[in-house]
Amino acid sequence: MADHEFAFLSQNTFLKAPAFDGARPYAVAGVAWDGCVTNRPGARFGPDAIRRSSHMLCDGTHPVFDTVALDHLTDLGDLALPNTSLEAMRAILQAQASLMLKRHHMVWLGGDHSITLPLLRALKAHHGRPLALLHFDAHCDTWVDHFGEPSGHGTWTYEALQEGLVVPEATVQIGIRSSGVREAREYVNDVGGRVFTARELRGCESPSQLGFVIDEIRRRHAAAGAPPIYLTLDIDCLDPAFAPGTGTPEPGGLSSNQVLSLLESLHDLPWAGMDCVEVSPPYDHAELTSSAAATFVWTYLSGLLAQG
Ligand code: MN
Ligand code: MN
């Protein structure tokens, strides 16, 4: 029976999934932290907005995968995190993430991108090996410091590689285009990974046009011994036309179709989890950004279910 509750007055969970159901294999959790944004704030409101936008998808059978993510999903709410120092937040996030990973395949709703480092630390410990990494972003996030501080939302990829959390050769970045010194922009290439800039992907939108990207990700993943692969999706990978609601928008970005072509085509990889970060609702228009984020998370979950 359909219920006709007005969506925005009902409980705000992703896809209107039941909350705190430990028996469900897939879970989302919000990480409402934006203490590391460097330009426009507001990513702490991202989880709430992404959940609201997901309500449109709540009865959805996915048109490519023919799966219903809602039937297998629970929402664990937003983590209770200290709004103090980055280090205090990360320590508690990592501890809570480690517990959740024992029970669920996790998708994290950010939050700014500084949350990904403790998530990778928890995942590496959980799996007992470094992960492959697929990183969508306008920014390389391989700066060696955060405007004079040791860590932030633009250093985590550098730190993850330095710490051995991810396999360098199986680290692929997509959509990179921001200003930045060569050492940062090319860091992933220099350590043996692969950076696909937004410029390199211009005019390539369908799975067949993006075949060279898909093939390269698969080749690198297989060559690394097919480790669990983590998806981190900074919403600013999209052009501001598709995602205006973000802290550091960069024109010349990816289209929603480019991201969807890649996510759909790579759905069969052994995914370890996902985060979607940097959605800043105060700068959004017509829920464009939160709708894109909700659709990417839904696509990821629906594709996982199609693995059987
Ligand atoms: Mn980022
Ligand atoms: Mn970014």
Side-chain angles (χ1 to χ4, degrees):
M1 287 284 280
D3 78 57
H4 299 282
E5 251 184 321
F6 183 55
F8 296 92
L9 296 180
S10 65
Q11 187 182 40
N12 189 19
T13 63
F14 194 79
L15 299 181
K16 291 202 217 175
F20 303 109
D21 185 340
R24 292 192 164 214
Y26 302 97
V28 303
V31 186
W33 159 273
D34 62 4
C36 282
V37 292
T38 46
N39 189 38
R40 310 193 303 201
R44 70 179 63 183
F45 304 116
D48 204 43
I50 297 167
R51 289 187 179 102
R52 274 200 310 281
S53 288
S54 78
H55 292 178
M56 187 187 70
L57 306 164
C58 68
D59 60 354
T61 302
H62 194 277
V64 175
F65 301 117
D66 215 23
T67 53
V68 182
L70 172 62
D71 294 346
H72 308 271
L73 182 71
T74 186
D75 192 327
L76 305 178
D78 287 354
L79 305 190
L81 298 169
N83 215 355
T84 52
S85 71
L86 174 64
E87 294 315 313
M89 179 280 287
R90 278 181 167 167
I92 292 178
L93 172 55
Q94 184 178 340
Q96 294 192 7
S98 299
L99 291 174
M100 291 173 173
L101 286 170
K102 293 184 194 304
R103 199 163 257 196
H104 304 285
H105 184 114
M106 293 298 305
V107 174
W108 312 92
L109 310 177
D112 75 44
H113 221 157
S114 67
I115 69 170
T116 300
L117 188 65
L119 296 175
L120 287 173
R121 288 171 176 156
L123 281 158
K124 187 199 170 194
H126 181 77
H127 291 283
R129 62 191 290 195
L131 288 92
L133 182 68
L134 182 59
H135 172 201
F136 287 86
D137 209 319
H139 309 93
C140 54
D141 291 357
T142 43
W143 284 276
V144 297
D145 68 64
H146 180 71
F147 298 93
E149 293 186 7
S151 191
H153 77 153
T155 61
W156 68 269
T157 309
Y158 172 78
E159 293 174 273
L161 286 159
Q162 289 282 316
E163 286 185 31
L165 304 179
V166 295
V167 181
E169 295 79 9
T171 294
V172 177
Q173 296 183 307
I174 297 177
I176 311 300
R177 62 190 180 279
S178 84
S179 64
V181 294
R182 188 217 163 272
E183 290 73 20
R185 286 192 333 259
E186 296 290 332
Y187 185 77
V188 165
N189 283 330
D190 288 346
V191 297
R194 178 68 159 94
V195 181
F196 288 101
T197 65
R199 186 169 282 101
E200 198 175 349
L201 303 189
R202 284 180 189 168
C204 304
E205 191 163 273
S206 68
S208 61
Q209 289 169 323
L210 288 164
F212 70 103
V213 180
I214 294 160
D215 291 348
E216 183 68 5
I217 294 166
R218 290 189 182 284
R219 188 189 68 74
R220 285 174 173 274
H221 178 257
I229 176 168
Y230 188 70
L231 172 64
T232 183
L233 203 156
D234 184 329
I235 204 69
D236 70 28
C237 71
L238 291 178
D239 190 273
F242 298 92
T246 194
T248 39
E250 303 280 358
L254 305 180
S255 69
S256 306
N257 279 334
Q258 285 180 299
V259 176
L260 286 172
S261 290
L262 291 169
L263 295 185
E264 289 167 8
S265 300
L266 294 166
H267 80 95
D268 59 324
L269 290 177
W271 295 104
M274 170 188 185
D275 62 54
C276 186
V277 298
E278 303 281 355
V279 172
S280 182
Y283 296 94
D284 206 1
H285 296 280
E287 301 173 10
L288 293 172
T289 314
S290 54
S291 294
T295 296
F296 295 153
V297 170
W298 176 61
T299 299
Y300 171 84
L301 291 166
S302 300
L304 272 181
L305 284 165
Q307 292 183 4

